[in-house]
Amino acid sequence: MVKLLHAADLHLDSPFAGLEPEEALARRRLQRELPLALARLARAEGCSLLLLAGDVFDGARVTPETVEALQTAFEEAALPVLIAPGNHDPYVPGSPWVQAAWPGNVRLFTGGWTGVALPDLGCRIWGAAFRGGEAHGLLGTAPRAEGYLEIGLLHGELAAAGPYNPMTEADVANSGLAYLALGHIHRPRLPAAVGGTWVGWPGVTLGRGFDEPGDHGALVVTVDETGCTGLLRVLPGPRYHLCSVRAGTMPDLPEDCQGDYIRLEVTGEGGPADCEALERALAGRCRSLRVIDRTVPPADLWAEAGTGSLRGLALERLLAAHAAGDPSAAAAARYLIAALEGRDAPWS
């Protein structure tokens, strides 16, 4: 049995271009705390390995402070750290992976599919590196060896084709791996079986925008010959939330969101919404709040009833049911109109 911490997509030194310069700088400094948080989490959880599945850096520009933060974290981890560079931080001349001096407990995959034996832990870690912004065919097979668990570490996606190391389910199932630790997908996905191989993505370590909402962190994974279990351990830091509220009501914001970013959409009929009043009412509840008006003007629900069209005939029958006291007739009419207009759901 091996217990490991699986992280990916730290995207250190992200520009945070949508924030004010001071706020962007504060977020990059907060990112630099992530490696040490991962090292301490691995030790607190009793993990024997720390696996980083690519995109540790966001791009080619990496500050000395970020490199120093990683070096310090890897030293404090005091356990094997294995890294498979991804499309944002490929193993190329000039990258920190090539130029910086890394502690002796760090094993870096620098080319094609290779295995690293860890006899004291009874496992072999197989991996490969992006050597540019795209990669193909990095996943190989792991020939079974007596007394070893075979674990894979890669950046990539389950897909038939694409630029970012696509792998099919058949590729994974035939790999001979007990667990495949992947990066690149930014939403966490707990380990799931693909044939005889378990596959997991931890997602980004800390959300950077509204396209990366909710909780983020790293996977604590326990794997043996019989199967695999994994849990997402959330790391501290600001989160992004997408929320909605019906016009004329107050939203129920997420708990403990004082340090978070929230985008609140006001929906329903009866617009325009008083976005400024909502912002004032919710002031101090979160780090940043943006209210967006998605309301539509009130509509006469029964305006087309009896007009002779199929829509009008349907509304005419529902109007009769409504007049007879059917409590669901109005809702049915709204869903009918929404369906005919190609919307997912009625406005209110």
Side-chain angles (χ1 to χ4, degrees):
M1 183 187 77
V2 175
K3 189 174 185 181
L4 59 90
L5 187 67
H6 171 197
D9 295 282
L10 280 72
H11 286 278
L12 302 177
D13 283 340
S14 290
F16 294 102
L19 301 179
E20 294 295 325
E22 296 82 4
E23 181 75 1
L25 177 59
R27 291 300 304 276
R28 286 193 292 275
R29 287 173 174 167
L30 182 62
Q31 279 189 314
R32 291 187 195 120
E33 298 176 9
L34 291 174
L36 192 56
L38 289 172
R40 291 174 176 173
L41 177 61
R43 292 172 58 185
E45 291 284 346
C47 296
S48 303
L49 288 168
L50 172 57
L51 304 184
L52 298 178
D55 286 1
V56 176
F57 306 119
D58 188 64
R61 184 186 179 277
V62 180
T63 63
E65 294 95 330
T66 295
V67 173
E68 291 162 5
L70 269 177
Q71 291 168 327
T72 299
F74 293 158
E75 288 177 352
E76 181 163 325
L79 49 76
V81 178
L82 290 97
I83 304 166
N87 58 296
H88 276 262
D89 61 347
Y91 190 85
V92 294
S95 91
W97 298 136
V98 177
Q99 291 188 323
W102 301 105
N105 60 321
V106 175
R107 311 287 183 90
L108 188 68
F109 292 103
T110 62
W113 186 250
T114 307
V116 176
L118 301 172
D120 291 346
L121 300 179
C123 66
R124 290 190 297 184
I125 311 300
W126 297 82
F130 274 64
R131 298 298 299 265
E134 299 184 4
H136 299 84
L138 296 185
L139 176 63
T141 58
R144 293 297 178 94
E146 186 67 28
Y148 282 93
L149 272 173
E150 310 295 349
I151 297 172
L153 176 64
L154 287 173
H155 198 77
E157 56 189 345
L158 279 184
Y164 304 118
N165 186 32
M167 297 163 276
T168 66
E169 289 193 355
D171 294 332
V172 173
N174 294 327
S175 67
L177 298 167
Y179 179 66
L180 178 56
L182 292 175
H184 186 65
I185 304 300
H186 284 195
R187 294 287 180 91
R189 297 185 185 178
L190 295 179
V194 178
T197 299
W198 290 77
V199 184
W201 283 269
V204 293
T205 314
L206 182 65
R208 296 170 297 155
F210 288 107
D211 57 339
E212 298 169 353
D215 291 330
H216 295 280
L219 294 179
V220 176
V221 177
T222 302
V223 58
D224 60 25
E225 294 289 354
T226 65
C228 173
T229 60
L231 296 171
L232 178 69
R233 292 303 189 204
V234 177
L235 292 174
R239 300 168 296 175
Y240 288 81
H241 302 280
L242 300 170
C243 303
S244 64
V245 64
R246 290 289 183 185
T249 63
M250 287 296 291
D252 185 15
L253 297 184
E255 295 182 2
D256 302 323
C257 65
Q258 288 82 3
D260 297 346
Y261 298 80
I262 294 179
R263 186 165 70 195
L264 177 64
E265 295 189 352
V266 185
T267 64
E269 294 182 354
D274 191 341
C275 297
E276 292 184 359
L278 263 178
E279 289 175 351
R280 289 193 299 270
L282 298 172
R285 297 277 302 277
C286 58
R287 184 189 191 105
S288 173
L289 173 66
R290 181 186 177 195
V291 180
I292 301 173
D293 186 0
R294 300 290 191 202
T295 60
V296 295
D300 182 353
L301 183 61
W302 309 109
E304 296 183 59
T307 58
S309 65
L310 288 176
R311 176 169 171 161
L313 291 171
L315 286 171
E316 184 177 20
R317 295 185 66 176
L318 288 170
L319 176 57
H322 178 67
D326 185 340
S328 64
R334 293 187 184 281
Y335 275 98
L336 170 69
I337 293 171
L340 293 173
E341 293 179 352
R343 291 190 265 121
D344 289 333
W347 289 110
S348 64

